[in-house]
Amino acid sequence: MSCDQDAETRHILDCFRDRLKRLVQVEPLLDLLHFLEPDRKDRIKAKFREEGNISAAALLIDEIIHSKNCAQGWSRELITALETVGCKHAAKYVLNSPPEPTEETENDSCVRLIDLLQLTLVNMKTADVCAHCRALGLLTLEDQENILKLTENQGNIGGARLLLKRLVKNEAGWFSKFLQALEDTEHHELVRELRGEPCNEDEAMSAETVEEGEQSCSETMPVLPPVLSANSSLLSEDLDSSVDSSGLGACADNEEVDMYKEGEEEDLTEDDDPSEERKRDIVLRDYQMEVARPALEEKNIIICLPTGSGKTRVAVYITKEHLERRRQMGQPGKVVVLVNKVPLVEQHYKAEFGRFLKHQYSVERVSGASQLKISFPQIIEQNDIIICTAQILENSLVKAKNGDEDGIKLSQFTLMVIDECHHTKKGGVYNHIMIRYLKQKHQNQLLKKQEKSPVALPQILGLTASPGVGGAMSQQRAEEHILQICANLDAFTIKTKTFEEEEAKTPYKRIARAEERKEDPFGDVIKKIMDEIHEHADLKPLCEPGTQNYEQWVVQKEQNAAKEENQKVRVCAEHLRQYNEALHQSNTIRMSDAFRFLDKYHNEELKTKSSPDEEGTVTITDTERFLFTLFKDNKAKLQELMGKPQYENNNLAQLKTNILKEFSTRESARGIIFTRTRLSAIALCQWIQENPKFDEVGVSASYLIGGGDQSVVKPMTAAEQKDVLNKFRDGQINLLIATTVAEEGLDIAECNFVIRYCLVTNEIAMIQARGRGRAEDSSYTLVAEAGSGVAERESVNEYREKMMSKAIAKVCKMNRADYEKKIREFQMQAIMEEKVKIKKKQQKGMMKEPPSKISLSCRQCIVFVCSGEDIEKIENMHHVNVTPQFSKLFTVRENASLQERLLDYETNGVIACKNCGQVRADFSSSLQINTVCITAEHNIGLAKFSSTHS
């Protein structure tokens, strides 16, 4: 390079000084910079030893800029050296070729995220991740050697810290490769956290079962895809899609509604009392009318309002105006209100739509819990407003597409209200419905060109309190996520409003950190048991027991073993899952709770192996005998340790301090504690009820958990949930311990404190949980163990919440032409994606094979059960076996946890394999016929009977 070029490089170094000092790896670079005098290098090395890499890099840049003795062409040598030591990102800046501003901003967001989540990320298996990063070109050979050496000398965490420091110095695009390295090394939980995806038990459950008693349709519909880019792997689908809930702000602040009054069956008959008539008048506040205006002009919109600001009341007003306008024009009007949870059907009916509109229009509600004996199409025909779960509507749309007379079409509705519309993505049922809408909209455009009449489509009204950012790592990605939701709902605009009074009511937030546990002999015994099981089954885990990563690893092992008919590994993996859950429990609740959980599991397993009356002997394998003996041998030691309070985790002590503080400093305290699992919710409730200190300050506690039967814990029925919420509203209960089922949707009385106990999911869940503290002078506390990474993940959520607000504001201000162009692109991409998926589905050979080529066997003992020819379907959804040969393979037992009446069948019990004793399916009575309903085990994603080719 010429002298002029060297001078220009000095100027560039000065301009990009702040960024370069964070990208340069000083120590290896100095060995390759021969133009620097030895004494200058010595000063820089001393700076590195005393103050670290950034200070040394700053000094290196100063030395180069102010040096007058550098040989001509030194700038070329500098760039080559940077590229050689793996600082290619820094080399680009020195070449005056920095990345585009949007790319640079996104990369900075990735670096900040790594920094925020460092306490979690350092728990990775450093050597494995390091090897994969090296293979992907993220590390040089020298980097790898230094990281492995530090891991050997200072341990796994020290090596992980160096690995992370080195990764962020790569050029843009490194983040997606890092995610790939984590995926390849089975660090699935870390990937989920970096992408912002939840792992909560009740949330995961809701992704599988939107509602009780309803089966999802057999047809697979496409996901509305995100915009792809070079860093598309950063775009995880929205965290909230797995959330087991359906919305904040279900009850507006316009009027306090007591929907859970004792013995209530609300009287909605006509009343001539003028005062009652005035109560039914809907008067919107100014901001509510402002957001409703485009919908009143018959435009599709999304209304995004904070919790308690009256979204549902606005929807009721829009519904009323819509029907009145249609009536005045002499046109029929029909409104469907869609929710994603069964309890919300009744809630919206009693508290809002039925309360205000029943006197003028016919309003009906339908869900899997309904006792109506007429068909859904008849309900649609006979009523003006139908409130139903989205799956019921989707099932009927599928029937219509298949030519069934019992089906309905979207064209039968004139307005469709979608509650918690941010769930309209990632293959959810809302998305299934809207993809049909988009297809018909596209076909209508073709019909118009052909001068044919288009098919009528309903107006769309979406409601949400928090659309989230979809795991976005940059402001641009957050804006694209908001645009994606708008496209999914064919929205003309998204209407929102921020106001000072809402911000003033935001709860005071604090983080209560508990000291790290110094000793955990109880956990050590469980880990020792797990190590013996690993050795017995020849399993080599890639992550530490007691973590979500381990849970995912062992679930995968169990599923693979079931497919491969490897009984030994499958049974061991099943037991390892229970021990892993016990470890988690001992870190969040009492050791005695964890022991009782394990003891109950083993007792129930032993019970299934006992010989039933009048039946033959049940087989017990050598592996099962080994597992039962292993627990029995360690049982006494676990019982001894659980009685020593000095070994309890410190989280409970911190939680106790916070609860006592809230109840002793407030005149009338009412609060919610959110926790991750149903087991922990029940155990925490028992702990509070058994502790006299809580009773002294007036704590009256109860738990609230989900209703889906997807857990080892018996679910709560709708009646039980209603009873608890009733008592909470009346003040008989002043502390709820709840899973995420209470974060969203359910009408819960205002609280003056909210505690999230060792629980962080995503920004939407954070906003929803915080929104429960709507009373004056409320507080929001996160209780977490120091060093657990929970507090850092909460910071990430706060960052994403700000991104979301900015993104919504930016989308609202977009040029109309640009907005519509983006929406069209998203929608056309969605339609094309669907066509591709349908084509692939049609090409699957399995779909064309006769049922006789499919055999089903018991997943536990591999005994042949039946072929595909023996399986029949009831109501096009329940898969049953009614052959006499099948009845000889099982025994029937009472199903104590599922004594519930559904629409057309009753679950009487469960069946257990005669050979191994494992419960395999539901035994039901349908239309006076006894049948065996073969269901899917959602929590591990495998059928309860393994399916193989004959």
Side-chain angles (χ1 to χ4, degrees):
M1 285 187 178
S2 65
C3 292
D4 289 343
Q5 289 172 319
D6 288 344
E8 182 183 350
T9 302
R10 283 193 174 92
H11 178 68
I12 291 169
L13 289 173
D14 193 32
C15 290
F16 292 124
R17 177 196 303 268
D18 287 340
R19 188 164 291 275
L20 285 170
K21 68 184 183 182
R22 289 174 171 78
L23 297 176
V24 170
Q25 284 283 93
V26 172
E27 198 171 29
L29 184 65
L30 283 176
D31 295 336
L32 301 178
L33 299 183
H34 304 298
F35 61 83
L36 279 180
E37 296 91 339
D39 60 329
R40 292 178 183 272
K41 289 185 179 181
D42 290 341
R43 283 200 295 272
I44 296 168
K45 288 178 181 177
K47 194 76 167 177
F48 177 83
R49 289 191 297 271
E50 293 169 6
E51 299 181 26
N53 188 79
I54 292 180
S55 297
L59 179 59
L60 170 61
I61 293 169
D62 283 338
E63 292 287 356
I64 294 175
I65 290 173
H66 299 111
S67 175
K68 305 298 181 183
N69 301 321
C70 294
Q72 186 174 341
W74 63 266
S75 52
R76 178 71 263 171
E77 183 179 328
L78 172 62
I79 292 165
T80 303
L82 286 168
E83 292 173 341
T84 301
V85 300
C87 298
K88 294 179 182 178
H89 199 187
K92 285 192 174 183
Y93 279 97
V94 178
L95 284 168
N96 201 18
S97 300
E100 292 295 322
T102 54
E103 187 179 10
E104 186 175 65
T105 302
E106 183 170 335
N107 188 68
D108 289 345
S109 298
C110 295
V111 173
R112 185 168 183 269
L113 183 64
I114 293 295
D115 183 51
L116 287 168
L117 294 180
Q118 186 173 107
L119 283 173
T120 300
L121 292 170
V122 293
N123 293 315
M124 71 175 86
K125 292 290 183 180
T126 305
D128 296 338
V129 177
C130 181
H132 280 74
C133 287
R134 169 80 176 112
L136 292 170
L138 295 177
L139 301 172
T140 64
L141 179 60
E142 184 177 353
D143 289 332
Q144 185 180 21
E145 290 173 349
N146 290 337
I147 291 167
L148 294 178
K149 183 177 179 182
L150 193 63
T151 302
E152 183 180 346
N153 294 335
Q154 297 184 16
N156 189 74
I157 292 178
R161 286 200 182 102
L162 180 59
L163 170 61
L164 295 174
K165 286 180 183 177
R166 182 62 194 86
L167 280 178
V168 299
K169 297 183 186 298
N170 278 285
E171 57 186 325
W174 61 269
F175 187 80
S176 58
K177 293 181 180 179
F178 178 48
L179 290 180
Q180 182 185 335
L182 291 175
E183 286 278 14
D184 293 344
T185 52
E186 300 191 30
H187 289 76
H188 305 299
E189 175 60 19
L190 294 182
V191 174
R192 290 168 69 89
E193 290 198 11
L194 287 170
R195 286 176 172 165
E197 298 173 359
C199 313
N200 183 275
E201 175 190 293
D202 266 22
E203 290 175 5
M205 177 276 294
S206 68
E208 297 291 341
T209 52
V210 175
E211 54 201 60
E212 295 177 41
E214 295 176 19
Q215 302 291 327
S216 27
C217 66
S218 57
E219 180 179 345
T220 302
M221 296 296 291
V223 178
L224 291 177
V227 170
L228 300 179
S229 70
N231 288 325
S232 60
S233 60
L234 300 179
L235 288 168
S236 64
E237 284 291 335
D238 202 16
L239 334 165
D240 53 311
S241 62
S242 318
V243 176
D244 176 21
S245 45
S246 47
L248 296 171
C251 178
D253 59 1
N254 304 56
E255 181 177 351
E256 192 68 31
V257 179
D258 188 355
M259 64 162 286
Y260 288 121
K261 196 171 182 179
E262 189 66 40
E264 175 185 14
E265 189 56 53
E266 188 172 338
D267 181 13
L268 297 173
T269 57
E270 283 293 344
D271 195 326
D272 295 329
D273 187 345
S275 64
E276 290 299 316
E277 191 67 41
R278 283 195 299 273
K279 287 182 181 179
R280 293 194 294 271
D281 288 341
I282 306 171
V283 181
L284 296 188
R285 296 181 177 181
D286 290 343
Y287 73 87
Q288 292 174 318
M289 184 59 76
E290 181 183 333
V291 298
R293 191 162 287 113
L296 298 174
E297 297 169 358
E298 302 186 4
K299 291 184 174 69
N300 294 352
I301 68 165
I302 296 171
I303 292 178
C304 178
L305 287 177
T307 300
S309 56
K311 294 181 298 297
T312 313
R313 188 65 51 83
V314 175
V316 174
Y317 182 83
I318 292 170
T319 298
K320 180 175 180 287
E321 293 295 311
H322 173 84
L323 291 174
E324 285 182 358
R325 183 173 59 250
R326 304 275 307 181
R327 181 178 286 178
Q328 290 170 5
M329 296 170 62
Q331 298 175 348
K334 199 168 294 291
V335 180
V336 61
V337 181
L338 302 179
V339 299
N340 63 346
K341 280 202 306 184
V342 172
L344 295 180
V345 174
E346 197 70 14
Q347 180 171 302
H348 281 341
Y349 176 78
K350 289 185 175 180
E352 296 290 348
F353 289 90
R355 180 184 182 88
F356 290 100
L357 302 179
K358 183 76 172 178
H359 304 277
Q360 295 173 267
Y361 301 97
S362 54
V363 185
E364 189 54 270
R365 69 278 207 199
V366 187
S367 73
S370 302
Q371 298 295 320
L372 298 169
K373 292 300 179 182
I374 61 174
S375 68
F376 189 55
Q378 284 179 296
I379 295 170
I380 298 296
E381 184 180 346
Q382 296 172 9
N383 293 278
D384 301 310
I385 304 167
I386 302 92
I387 308 165
C388 67
T389 45
Q391 190 63 60
I392 289 225
L393 176 61
E394 171 64 9
N395 291 346
S396 291
L397 293 172
V398 171
K399 288 180 179 179
K401 183 179 179 181
N402 295 336
D404 193 323
E405 294 181 359
D406 213 22
I408 61 171
K409 298 179 180 179
L410 284 175
S411 57
Q412 293 176 240
F413 302 104
T414 57
L415 173 63
M416 184 157 64
V417 181
I418 302 180
D419 189 34
E420 296 310 305
C421 64
H422 57 266
H423 291 300
T424 313
K425 59 188 179 307
K426 208 173 185 179
V429 65
Y430 284 162
N431 194 71
H432 294 173
I433 293 167
M434 283 308 301
I435 199 75
R436 298 178 188 279
Y437 178 101
L438 296 179
K439 284 177 64 180
Q440 187 58 61
K441 177 189 172 185
H442 178 65
Q443 290 169 3
N444 282 350
Q445 293 169 351
L446 299 178
L447 290 172
K448 287 179 182 178
K449 289 180 180 179
Q450 298 168 6
E451 298 183 352
K452 296 180 180 178
S453 298
V455 175
L457 284 173
Q459 178 185 347
I460 304 296
L461 173 62
L463 307 175
T464 182
S466 173
V469 296
M473 303 301 304
S474 69
Q475 197 60 47
Q476 181 186 353
R477 293 288 183 267
E479 291 163 18
E480 287 176 351
H481 171 75
I482 301 299
L483 284 167
Q484 178 75 66
I485 291 177
C486 290
N488 294 355
L489 291 156
D490 194 37
F492 174 80
T493 186
I494 178 169
K495 295 294 290 183
T496 187
K497 180 71 177 175
T498 56
F499 35 89
E500 293 179 2
E501 57 264 35
E502 182 63 31
E503 293 174 2
K505 287 177 67 176
T506 300
Y508 169 74
K509 182 173 182 177
R510 58 174 171 258
I511 296 176
R513 290 183 172 87
E515 290 184 14
E516 288 190 59
R517 210 174 193 170
K518 294 183 174 63
E519 289 183 274
D520 184 18
F522 183 87
D524 292 340
V525 173
I526 293 178
K527 289 178 181 178
K528 176 177 170 292
I529 294 172
M530 295 172 80
D531 286 339
E532 291 189 45
I533 298 175
H534 293 151
E535 186 177 349
H536 179 81
D538 195 25
L539 293 170
K540 296 178 175 58
L542 299 173
C543 35
E544 188 70 18
T547 63
Q548 282 289 324
N549 279 344
Y550 183 92
E551 172 78 9
Q552 292 176 347
W553 171 81
V554 78
V555 165
Q556 191 63 52
K557 288 294 180 185
E558 184 179 2
Q559 292 177 353
N560 293 340
K563 292 175 184 176
E564 297 164 4
E565 300 186 356
N566 187 334
Q567 276 185 275
K568 182 177 181 179
V569 171
R570 193 203 64 76
V571 175
C572 286
E574 187 176 322
H575 279 250
L576 286 170
R577 286 184 67 194
Q578 311 308 315
Y579 284 113
N580 195 63
E581 174 61 30
L583 276 177
H584 171 75
Q585 289 185 35
S586 73
N587 288 327
T588 52
I589 50 182
R590 296 169 296 186
M591 293 183 290
S592 58
D593 297 313
F595 172 78
R596 281 195 293 267
F597 167 75
L598 286 175
D599 194 41
K600 180 182 177 183
Y601 171 75
H602 281 88
N603 288 337
E604 289 179 350
E605 285 294 296
L606 281 168
K607 187 177 178 181
T608 65
K609 302 302 173 185
S610 61
S611 179
D613 296 335
E614 85 274 336
E615 300 292 346
T617 303
V618 173
T619 304
I620 181 168
T621 65
D622 291 339
T623 296
E624 289 169 332
R625 188 172 289 106
F626 161 77
L627 293 168
F628 292 140
T629 303
L630 185 60
F631 177 72
K632 183 180 178 181
D633 291 345
N634 288 275
K635 185 174 178 178
K637 184 64 176 175
L638 290 172
Q639 283 179 300
E640 177 192 346
L641 291 169
M642 78 178 191
K644 298 183 177 180
Q646 67 267 32
Y647 296 135
E648 291 284 8
N649 69 77
N650 295 316
N651 293 316
L652 277 175
Q654 186 64 60
L655 178 63
K656 179 181 178 181
T657 300
N658 279 270
I659 296 173
L660 293 176
K661 179 182 177 182
E662 295 290 352
F663 277 89
S664 59
T665 58
R666 296 182 185 274
E667 185 177 338
S668 179
R670 186 203 303 264
I672 301 180
I673 299 172
F674 288 103
T675 185
R676 186 170 73 87
T677 67
R678 298 179 184 184
L679 279 167
S680 60
I682 295 170
L684 285 172
C685 183
Q686 292 173 343
W687 168 67
I688 291 170
Q689 291 171 345
E690 294 169 6
N691 194 317
K693 289 287 185 183
F694 294 117
D695 190 50
E696 289 172 10
V697 294
V699 178
S700 176
S702 184
Y703 63 85
L704 182 70
I705 61 176
D709 189 30
Q710 312 302 317
S711 170
V712 293
V713 178
K714 179 185 175 182
M716 255 186 157
T717 65
E720 288 171 332
Q721 288 180 343
K722 177 179 176 179
D723 183 57
V724 170
L725 291 172
N726 236 351
K727 292 177 179 176
F728 188 62
R729 180 179 301 280
D730 295 342
Q732 297 177 53
I733 295 169
N734 54 23
L735 181 61
L736 279 183
I737 299 93
T739 56
T740 53
V741 69
E743 282 180 347
E744 187 180 81
L746 293 179
D747 186 16
I748 297 175
E750 287 187 353
C751 302
N752 45 30
F753 74 91
V754 173
I755 298 174
R756 278 169 76 80
Y757 181 60
C758 303
L759 171 67
V760 171
T761 48
N762 58 55
E763 75 277 8
I764 293 178
M766 179 189 75
I767 294 167
Q768 289 161 348
R770 189 180 64 206
R772 289 304 180 191
R774 300 200 297 270
E776 294 296 328
D777 191 31
S778 57
S779 67
Y780 171 87
T781 305
L782 176 67
V783 175
E785 185 178 69
S788 66
V790 171
E792 288 70 26
R793 293 199 296 276
E794 186 79 355
S795 298
V796 174
N797 287 338
E798 291 171 351
Y799 172 61
R800 285 176 170 152
E801 182 185 7
K802 292 175 182 175
M803 286 174 59
M804 180 189 74
S805 299
K806 290 180 182 177
I808 293 173
K810 185 75 174 290
V811 169
C812 289
K813 294 176 183 177
M814 279 184 73
N815 174 274
R816 171 52 51 185
D818 292 340
Y819 175 86
E820 291 180 352
K821 181 183 177 184
K822 277 282 189 182
I823 296 301
R824 280 196 301 272
E825 288 173 358
F826 278 120
Q827 291 179 346
M828 290 306 298
Q829 189 176 359
I831 293 170
M832 292 304 297
E833 285 281 333
E834 183 199 19
K835 290 180 179 178
V836 170
K837 288 190 176 184
I838 290 175
K839 190 71 175 176
K840 287 182 177 179
K841 182 179 177 181
Q842 291 172 345
Q843 292 173 349
K844 283 185 178 179
M846 188 71 179
M847 302 298 293
K848 299 176 183 177
E849 292 183 2
S852 60
K853 288 194 175 182
I854 306 298
S855 67
L856 286 86
S857 57
C858 174
R859 197 180 61 169
Q860 170 98 349
C861 62
I862 322 300
V863 168
F864 174 79
V865 174
C866 63
S867 77
E869 289 180 309
D870 301 322
I871 304 299
E872 302 289 345
K873 288 175 76 174
I874 295 179
E875 291 295 317
N876 202 35
M877 59 178 70
H878 307 298
H879 293 76
V880 302
N881 188 327
V882 294
T883 60
Q885 296 87 349
F886 186 51
S887 62
K888 298 176 182 178
L889 300 174
F890 65 83
T891 57
V892 180
R893 297 177 183 169
E894 181 184 2
N895 186 358
S897 65
L898 259 182
Q899 293 296 331
E900 59 175 335
R901 268 192 90 77
L902 300 178
L903 283 173
D904 295 308
Y905 74 93
E906 183 176 1
T907 304
N908 300 324
V910 295
I911 65 168
C913 176
K914 272 189 182 180
N915 186 55
C916 66
Q918 287 296 309
V919 172
R920 285 288 164 250
D922 294 335
F923 186 74
S924 307
S925 174
S926 177
L927 306 177
Q928 312 304 317
I929 304 171
N930 286 334
T931 61
V932 173
C933 184
I934 302 174
T935 57
E937 189 171 317
H938 296 297
N939 62 326
I940 62 170
L942 285 176
K944 287 193 175 180
F945 288 90
S946 302
S947 174
T948 58
H949 287 282
S950 299

